[in-house]
Amino acid sequence: MSISAHCVVTLHYVLKDVLSDGDEQVLDDSTSRDKPLEYLHGHGNILPGLESALEGQEEGAELSVTLAPAEAYGLYNDALVQTVTRASFGNAELSVGSRFQTEGEAGPQIVTVLDIGGDQVTVDTNHPLAGHTLRYQVRVLTIREATRAELAKGHPLPPGTEHSKVEDRKVL
C-alpha cells in the first residue's frame, strides 16, 4: 500500500533547522523519544510540503525532505511584530523569550515576548519557525486505511474507537 488520501501513516522523523551557514540544528527527533508520528494523510495534519513529498511512498521508504520557509511556517513578516500594553497579559509572568498561545484571526497562534519596557510589551506573532528552512529525515513505518471514525474526526484515533461515538451530530 502506498501513501494516499485517507490513509493513516506512522513514521519516524528527525526535524532540523537549516541555518544560514548551511549547518543544521536538530529541533525534534521522534526516534530518540521512541514516539513515532501518526497522521491522517490528506487532512491537513502535517505541513503541506511534507505531506506532498510523502504522497505515493511505501512502507520502509526513507527520504529527506527540505522545505523552504514558504512551504513550512511561512516567511517572516515584520508587520507581525507589535507593541501591546502589559495589561494584555493579565497576571502572567513575563520575560523576554516567553511564549504564549493565543487565539488569532486564523485560529491559535504563538506569541513570543521580544521586549518589556515599563507598561509596553513588544511581541512577535510570527510562528517561531517562520522564515526557517526545515529538513525532515523520514522513515515510513506503517500505512493503513483510515477507519470511518478517523475520517469523521479528521485524525487518527485509538484502536477500537467506534464511528458512532465520534461523528459530529447535526442538530435539526
Side-chain angles (χ1 to χ4, degrees), residues 59-109:
E59 286 185 9
E62 294 187 25
L63 58 152
S64 177
V65 180
T66 301
L67 300 177
E71 300 170 302
Y73 292 98
L75 301 173
Y76 189 85
N77 183 349
D78 290 323
L80 295 178
V81 174
Q82 49 196 279
T83 301
V84 297
T85 64
R86 172 67 179 87
S88 301
F89 295 91
N91 294 328
E93 285 281 328
L94 289 183
S95 61
V96 172
S98 296
R99 288 196 173 135
F100 300 88
Q101 183 169 321
T102 63
E103 196 60 36
E105 291 177 12
Q109 67 181 13

Side-chain angles (χ1 to χ4, degrees), residues 18-83:
V18 180
L19 306 174
S20 59
D21 63 3
D23 284 345
E24 298 178 349
Q25 176 185 2
V26 174
L27 301 175
D28 193 11
D29 181 347
S30 70
T31 306
S32 70
R33 290 184 284 111
D34 196 26
K35 181 131 174 78
L37 171 69
E38 185 177 58
Y39 79 96
L40 180 57
H41 194 81
H43 289 257
N45 292 172
I46 62 174
L47 292 172
L50 180 58
E51 188 169 68
S52 177
L54 287 166
E55 182 80 24
Q57 297 292 328
E58 299 195 5
E59 286 185 9
E62 294 187 25
L63 58 152
S64 177
V65 180
T66 301
L67 300 177
E71 300 170 302
Y73 292 98
L75 301 173
Y76 189 85
N77 183 349
D78 290 323
L80 295 178
V81 174
Q82 49 196 279
T83 301

Side-chain angles (χ1 to χ4, degrees), residues 107-157:
Q109 67 181 13
I110 298 170
V111 175
T112 304
V113 175
L114 299 180
D115 187 47
I116 304 169
D119 191 39
Q120 301 296 304
V121 180
T122 303
V123 296
D124 184 351
T125 60
N126 283 287
H127 187 281
L129 294 175
H132 292 245
T133 298
L134 302 177
R135 181 165 295 129
Y136 284 88
Q137 298 297 131
V138 178
R139 182 169 35 99
V140 178
L141 303 174
T142 63
I143 305 165
R144 64 173 174 78
E145 289 185 29
T147 65
R148 184 173 168 190
E150 290 168 326
L151 293 173
K153 289 306 272 184
H155 59 81
L157 295 169

